[in-house]
């Protein structure tokens, strides 16, 4: 036990800060000593490597010692980073817990990470993910319990405290009977937006905590309202799982499918802030493009599809058809027919060795029937090569193996998936793709995933076995077909999250209607109906746009939504500029959100002219966020509604055509409106 006085938060802060500084100084010194050791080892190696023993034992020992020291230093650098973060704010909560059968409470301070003076000693501060920390999030003052490795621990919460520490100084400290006091939550939610998503460890709500600490469900599908914190919850869940299953789950085993590069940057700091290494991230569209580079020179992405749907009323129908179960069933029927139609069997010879047509047919249809069609002949070829190598008692060199395998592959009429897909389209009576050489092919978005599905259906693909947990954000924007491909790609645990009200299509898509049919009984759905991001005024306005009725609002009130009819885009922008950043301290981020790319570009160019007249630093504080962007900055951002998804801004200026009642445009306006934290101005042109 520690001699520290734990009852006074301010005194404890001063004392624990001293101990963190002491520990940090020790780590700094250890890192410096480790660096010197590494340098010495390198110098010794280069001075003596010519004289090391001929069997390499000394060289091996030296390399192993060097590797050990480098790894040790890496771990100490991580600890150094964590301790420096803890100096800024060592803790944010406290629970005084009386165990059943005890008279006096034990005091637990809760922070971003564990801190003990020495390894093996009881922590002075407990990680927010530790079992005991669940008391802080889940219970009011009174009876409480938590699940520890030894089993259920029961008792009574005698007191709960909430703190705000900034730059090592106590901002406030107060005792609260409630889980997370509403005043604290309002204060946190009422702060300015940032260019990165905020971590929520200080304000995790009970329903959010249940999701974060869920280790039982294999696939968790979270349907969350705009501003409900679903992305934050998903990322904190990953941090929790990494903390509790370090033996089996590493950061490198987690992948997030994110909507775009900007959003990836927006969330990239969360896990490092929570003491974990960052995870892999990619967009599914980028993955598809890379996977199909041997099929088409280029592929459209979701942005192309959205832009087309705004111009062409039939585009959404074509896309929906080619992503449907009906279309998949037709592709499956086509794949089965190819078994008998795609091959011209013949004898294959190598020097004096011959594999007869009948033998090849038997191997192809019997022995290797479980292998995908376009990979099956490689298995037949390898069988023949194994037989030859056995008889020759030697391995065939690559220059002989490759031409021999090619002889077998030539029995396919074609192995070109573009040609095969076209063959399928023609057979089923659909419009075919232009006949072009590889370097001139560009797949429309509606065709990208059908072609990718055929590729996974007809050929072996490398398994993503290193991925043990997959996070899918904006789940409502994935089609049934895309989920079928994901199921083929990944057999791991998943966290899937989204909001059907933010579907970027003419019709809201509730993927939870068909996901159980794809993933089976492993899938558990959870609803998050309470919105925390927007003020009541903004959330109510947005909900009315598309008829959302089941939204629960956190009671945070600010200025009403301003709605105006104006003559044109420039008039809207001039009005927006007049109210932009009322004072430098009030807001730090703002966004002009419009329907499409061309309008966004025009708005950006107009704003450059208007703001230049007002001595606004356009180079630093005005940015155009497009599909090629990888980050966004403080200041004023111009973008489309579909690239703004997942982001938030202090001020939003929503500019859309007047009297636009198409479902897709109403969805777009809803998305734009729900990006606003404090102020929403809507212009109809």
């Amino acid at each position: 036990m520690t001699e520290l006085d734990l009852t006074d938060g301010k005194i404890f802060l001063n004392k624990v800060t001293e101990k963190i500084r002491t520990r940090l100084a020790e780590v700094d010194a250890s890192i410096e000593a480790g660096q010197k050791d590494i340098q010495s080892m390198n110098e010794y190696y280069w001075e003596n490597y010519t004289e090391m023993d001929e069997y390499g034992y000394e060289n091996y020992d030296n390399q192993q010692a060097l590797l050990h020291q480098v790894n040790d230093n890496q771990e100490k650098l991580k600890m150094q980073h964590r301790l420096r973060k803890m100096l800024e704010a060592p803790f944010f909560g406290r629970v005084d817990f009386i165990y059943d059968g005890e008279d006096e409470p034990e005091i637990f301070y809760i922070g971003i990470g564990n801190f003990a003076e020495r390894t093996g000693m009881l922590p002075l501060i407990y990680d927010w993910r530790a079992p005991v920390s669940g008391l802080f999030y889940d219970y009011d003052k009174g009876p409480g319990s938590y699940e520890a490795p030894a089993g259920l621990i029961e008792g009574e919460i005698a007191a709960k405290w909430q703190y705000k520490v900034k730059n090592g100084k106590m901002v406030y400290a107060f005792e609260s009977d409630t889980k997370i006091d509403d005043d604290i939550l309002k204060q946190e939610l009422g702060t300015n937006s940032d260019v990165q998503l905020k971590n929520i460890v200080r304000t995790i709500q009970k329903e959010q905590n249940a999701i974060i600490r869920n280790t039982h469900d294999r696939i968790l599908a979270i349907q969350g309202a705009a501003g409900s914190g679903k992305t934050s919850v998903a990322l904190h869940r990953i941090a929790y799982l990494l903390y509790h299953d370090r033996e089996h789950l590493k950061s490198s085993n987690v992948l997030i499918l994110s909507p775009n590069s900007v959003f990836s940057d927006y969330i990239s700091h969360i896990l490092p802030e929570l003491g974990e290494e960052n995870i892999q991230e990619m967009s599914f569209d980028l993955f598809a493009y890379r996977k199909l580079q041997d099929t088409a020179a280029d592929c459209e992405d979701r942005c192309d599809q959205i832009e087309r749907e705004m111009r062409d009323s039939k585009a959404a129908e074509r896309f929906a058809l080619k992503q449907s179960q009906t279309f998949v069933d037709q592709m499956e029927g086509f794949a089965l027919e190819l078994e008998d139609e795609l091959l011209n069997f013949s004898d294959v010879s190598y020097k004096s060795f011959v594999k007869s047509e009948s033998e090849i047919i038997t191997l192809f249809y019997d022995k290797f029937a479980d292998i995908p069609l376009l990979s099956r002949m490689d298995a037949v070829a390898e069988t023949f090569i194994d037989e030859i190598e056995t008889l020759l008692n030697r391995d065939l060199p690559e220059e002989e193996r490759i031409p021999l395998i090619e002889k077998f592959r030539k029995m396919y009429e074609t192995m070109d998936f573009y040609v095969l897909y076209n063959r399928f389209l023609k057979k089923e009576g659909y419009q075919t793709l232009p006949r072009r050489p590889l370097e001139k092919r560009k797949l429309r978005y509606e065709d990208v995933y059908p072609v990718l599905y055929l590729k996974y259906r007809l050929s072996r693909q490398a398994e993503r076995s290193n991925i043990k947990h997959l996070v899918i954000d904006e789940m409502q924007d994935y089609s049934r077909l895309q989920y079928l491909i994901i199921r083929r790609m990944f057999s791991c645990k998943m966290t899937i999250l989204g909001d059907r009200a933010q579907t970027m299509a003419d019709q809201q898509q509730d993927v939870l209607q068909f996901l159980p049919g794809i993933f089976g009984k492993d899938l558990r759905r959870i609803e998050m109906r309470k919105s925390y991001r927007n003020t009541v005024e903004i959330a109510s306005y947005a909900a009315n746009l598309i008829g959302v009725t089941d939204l629960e609002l956190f009671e945070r009130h600010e200025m009403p939504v301003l709605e105006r009819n104006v003559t044109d885009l420039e008039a809207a922008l001039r009005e927006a500029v007049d109210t932009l950043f009322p004072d430098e301290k009030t807001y730090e981020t703002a966004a002009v959100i419009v329907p499409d790319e061309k309008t966004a570009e025009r708005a950006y160019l107009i704003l450059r002219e208007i703001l230049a007249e007002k001595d606004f630093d356009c180079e630093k504080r005005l940015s155009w966020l497009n599909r090629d962007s990888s980050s966004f900055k403080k200041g004023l951002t111009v973008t489309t509604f579909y690239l703004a998804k997942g982001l938030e801004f202090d001020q939003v200026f929503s500019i859309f055509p007047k009297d636009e009642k198409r479902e897709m445009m109403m969805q777009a306006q809803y998305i734009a409106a729900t990006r606003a934290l404090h102020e929403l101005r809507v212009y109809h042109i």
Side-chain angles (χ1 to χ4, degrees):
M1 295 294 290
T2 177
E3 74 282 359
L4 284 183
D5 179 8
L6 301 179
T7 58
D8 188 310
K10 196 168 183 178
I11 294 173
F12 178 75
L13 174 63
N14 293 333
K15 294 294 185 182
V16 83
T17 299
E18 288 176 18
K19 293 182 180 294
I20 293 171
R21 285 201 181 98
T22 301
R23 184 79 182 100
L24 183 58
E26 293 171 356
V27 172
D28 290 345
S30 183
I31 290 171
E32 188 178 346
Q35 293 286 18
K36 288 179 180 176
D37 286 345
I38 291 169
Q39 188 178 347
S40 297
M41 288 179 190
N42 280 320
E43 287 173 355
Y44 175 82
Y45 176 80
W46 289 112
E47 288 171 4
N48 297 280
Y49 77 97
T50 56
E51 299 174 12
M52 291 182 180
D53 65 277
E54 59 179 305
Y55 299 106
Y57 295 130
E58 188 179 354
N59 181 33
Y60 176 79
D61 289 344
N62 191 73
Q63 292 299 317
Q64 288 298 109
L66 180 60
L67 182 64
H68 176 78
Q69 188 61 59
V70 168
N71 289 340
D72 187 55
N73 253 32
Q74 286 298 319
E75 288 302 313
K76 286 173 180 170
L77 284 166
K78 289 178 188 175
M79 184 180 290
Q80 182 190 59
H81 175 75
R82 183 166 60 83
L83 290 170
R84 285 174 177 173
K85 289 290 294 183
M86 291 192 80
L87 273 178
E88 297 173 18
F91 55 85
F92 54 80
R94 170 182 147 190
V95 177
D96 298 4
F97 188 63
I98 305 173
Y99 290 98
D100 279 354
E102 301 288 332
D103 297 322
E104 295 296 318
E106 189 164 343
I107 297 175
F108 301 97
Y109 282 88
I110 298 158
I112 286 289
N114 279 317
F115 175 72
E117 287 188 75
R118 292 284 181 272
T119 303
M121 294 179 68
L122 281 175
L124 298 173
I125 299 168
Y126 286 81
D127 192 293
W128 66 277
R129 297 165 290 184
V132 73
S133 301
L135 294 170
F136 179 75
Y137 298 114
D138 289 341
Y139 293 99
D140 300 331
K141 190 175 177 181
S145 62
Y146 65 93
E147 198 69 47
L152 187 67
I153 307 295
E154 296 180 298
E156 184 174 342
I157 296 170
K160 283 182 62 176
W161 288 77
Q162 293 172 245
Y163 304 95
K164 184 165 185 176
V165 181
K166 191 172 182 180
N167 298 323
K169 305 291 183 184
M170 185 73 76
V171 179
Y172 60 69
F174 70 90
E175 189 176 357
S176 173
D177 288 347
T178 59
K179 291 180 279 295
I180 304 293
D181 191 272
D182 275 1
D183 289 336
I184 296 292
L185 192 52
K186 281 178 185 176
Q187 192 169 20
E188 289 296 311
L189 297 171
T191 58
N192 289 341
S193 163
D194 205 341
V195 293
Q196 291 185 313
L197 188 68
K198 298 172 183 173
N199 80 63
I200 59 169
V201 291
R202 298 180 65 246
T203 58
I204 292 170
Q205 302 296 287
K206 184 176 181 178
E207 69 273 15
Q208 295 173 331
N209 195 47
I211 298 169
I212 290 168
R213 293 174 183 258
N214 182 316
T215 59
H216 309 296
D217 293 302
R218 183 171 173 78
I219 300 176
L220 208 57
I222 305 165
Q223 184 82 268
S228 59
K230 53 189 175 291
T231 301
S232 292
V233 166
L235 292 170
H236 285 67
R237 182 171 190 241
I238 294 302
Y240 181 84
L241 295 173
L242 289 168
Y243 178 86
H244 276 270
D245 195 16
R246 292 204 180 279
E247 286 188 19
H248 304 104
L249 189 67
K250 310 293 181 191
S251 296
S252 58
N253 302 136
V254 183
L255 173 67
I256 180 167
L257 294 181
S258 61
N260 53 59
S261 298
V262 172
F263 186 72
S264 304
D265 176 69
Y266 185 60
I267 64 172
S268 62
H269 69 295
I270 288 286
L271 285 168
E273 274 189 14
L274 300 176
E276 302 295 341
E277 293 179 12
N278 235 328
I279 58 179
Q280 306 171 68
E281 163 288 316
M282 69 172 187
S283 76
F284 201 31
D285 290 349
L286 179 59
F287 172 83
Y289 165 73
R290 289 175 176 172
K291 206 72 180 171
L292 294 175
Q293 281 184 313
D294 61 352
T295 303
D298 199 5
C299 298
E300 289 186 347
D301 60 18
R302 183 68 171 140
C303 298
D304 292 302
Q305 179 65 24
I306 294 167
E307 292 280 335
R308 182 178 292 114
E309 288 180 13
M310 284 188 280
R311 300 188 305 268
D312 179 358
S313 59
K314 298 293 183 182
E317 291 178 25
R318 291 195 302 270
F319 178 77
L321 171 64
K322 290 185 174 181
Q323 312 299 302
S324 68
Q325 187 62 50
T326 300
F327 201 77
V328 171
D329 291 342
Q330 288 173 331
M331 285 195 291
E332 283 293 329
F334 173 72
L336 290 172
E337 289 173 9
L338 284 179
E339 292 268 344
D340 300 319
E341 297 176 357
L342 194 60
L343 288 114
N344 297 306
F345 294 102
S346 62
D347 295 350
V348 175
S349 61
Y350 170 82
K351 296 182 178 178
S352 62
F353 302 98
V354 178
K355 181 62 73 176
S356 71
E357 178 183 335
S358 62
E359 288 180 291
I360 293 170
I361 290 171
T362 300
L363 288 168
F364 192 88
Y365 287 113
D366 294 340
K367 185 174 181 180
F368 299 123
D370 292 336
I371 295 174
L373 183 65
L374 289 182
S375 297
R376 204 177 300 171
M377 199 55 82
D378 283 0
V380 177
E382 289 296 336
T383 298
F384 188 38
I385 290 169
D386 286 346
E387 291 171 358
I388 294 168
E389 288 177 338
T390 301
L391 291 168
L392 294 177
N393 198 29
R394 64 175 175 85
D395 292 339
L396 290 188
E398 279 301 295
E399 60 267 22
E400 293 181 35
R401 285 176 61 92
I402 292 171
L404 184 52
I405 292 171
E406 199 56 38
K407 284 184 180 181
F408 283 88
R409 288 180 177 177
K410 283 180 178 176
M411 293 186 209
Y412 294 110
E413 286 183 22
T414 181
M415 297 182 73
D416 187 332
F417 288 99
Y418 188 91
V419 173
L420 286 169
Y421 181 62
N422 242 352
R423 186 166 165 179
F424 159 72
L425 292 175
K426 185 178 180 179
K427 176 183 173 295
E428 295 295 336
Y430 298 110
Q431 184 178 346
T432 56
L433 309 184
R435 294 180 65 182
R436 289 173 180 165
L438 173 63
E439 63 276 9
K440 293 186 178 179
R441 295 173 183 170
K442 182 175 183 178
L443 286 174
R444 279 194 169 194
Y445 194 68
E446 66 194 46
D447 296 306
V448 169
Y449 290 97
V451 175
L452 187 59
Y453 182 84
L454 272 184
K455 188 165 188 175
Y456 267 86
R457 174 65 174 80
L458 296 173
S459 64
R460 273 178 168 168
Q461 302 299 318
E463 291 186 9
R464 308 278 300 200
S465 56
N466 64 310
I467 302 301
K468 297 180 180 179
H469 200 106
L470 179 71
V471 180
I472 302 174
D473 204 358
E474 305 294 352
M475 68 180 181
Q476 72 281 353
D477 293 332
Y478 290 78
S479 67
R480 175 189 284 272
L481 179 58
Q482 288 171 317
Y483 280 111
L484 288 171
I485 296 169
I486 288 169
R487 187 191 65 183
R488 285 182 176 271
M489 289 169 57
F490 303 98
S491 57
C492 59
K493 295 181 177 180
M494 298 182 191
T495 302
I496 307 172
L497 58 142
D499 175 14
R500 60 176 168 264
Q502 295 186 63
T503 305
M504 295 186 297
D506 281 337
Q507 298 294 324
Q508 289 188 14
Q509 177 184 240
D510 188 358
V511 298
L512 291 178
Q513 296 297 315
F514 60 75
L515 281 187
I518 294 173
F519 292 108
K521 63 181 181 180
D522 284 341
L523 184 139
R524 182 189 173 199
R525 63 181 287 171
I526 293 177
E527 296 265 353
M528 295 176 67
R529 293 191 178 94
K530 194 166 186 176
S531 175
Y532 298 97
R533 176 191 297 133
N534 314 119
T535 63
V536 170
E537 292 78 6
I538 294 169
S540 300
Y541 172 84
N544 286 334
L545 285 172
I546 59 171
V548 173
T549 57
D550 59 349
L551 188 64
E552 298 174 27
L553 302 180
F554 182 75
E555 288 291 324
R556 181 170 66 87
H557 292 271
E558 292 185 35
M559 63 188 297
V561 175
L562 175 82
E563 198 169 6
R564 292 263 294 130
N565 290 328
V566 292
T567 54
D568 55 28
L569 179 63
E570 184 170 344
L573 293 171
R574 288 193 177 277
E575 281 206 21
V577 164
D578 287 340
T579 59
L580 178 65
F581 302 133
D583 66 72
E584 293 299 313
K585 294 180 181 177
T586 307
Y587 302 140
E588 294 184 326
T589 62
V592 168
I593 301 178
V594 297
D596 55 73
E597 285 181 317
K598 284 185 179 178
T599 308
E601 186 176 8
R602 278 182 58 218
Y604 174 73
L605 294 172
I606 293 169
L607 281 168
R608 281 190 70 91
E609 291 184 12
I610 297 172
L611 291 169
E613 299 168 3
K614 297 178 176 288
D615 295 326
F616 188 89
D617 190 345
C618 292
E619 293 306 314
K620 287 186 177 178
R621 302 186 65 209
L622 175 66
S623 57
W624 172 28
L625 198 159
N626 56 42
R627 68 177 74 184
D628 297 321
S629 303
S630 56
S631 62
F632 79 94
K633 304 177 288 187
K634 287 185 179 180
L636 177 60
T637 298
V638 183
T639 190
T640 58
F641 72 94
Y642 54 83
L643 288 175
K645 287 183 73 173
L647 308 178
E648 56 187 37
F649 305 87
D650 295 317
Q651 274 181 308
V652 167
F653 305 96
S654 173
I655 307 175
F656 282 80
K658 193 178 342 186
D659 301 323
E660 177 63 81
K661 299 300 180 186
R662 279 186 300 161
E663 188 73 27
M664 185 179 187
M665 285 294 97
M666 299 308 294
Q667 300 285 135
Q669 292 179 68
Y670 173 82
I671 292 167
T674 54
R675 300 310 94 201
L677 277 169
H678 305 291
E679 186 177 334
L680 173 64
R681 293 175 177 264
V682 180
Y683 298 99
H684 303 291
I685 58 177

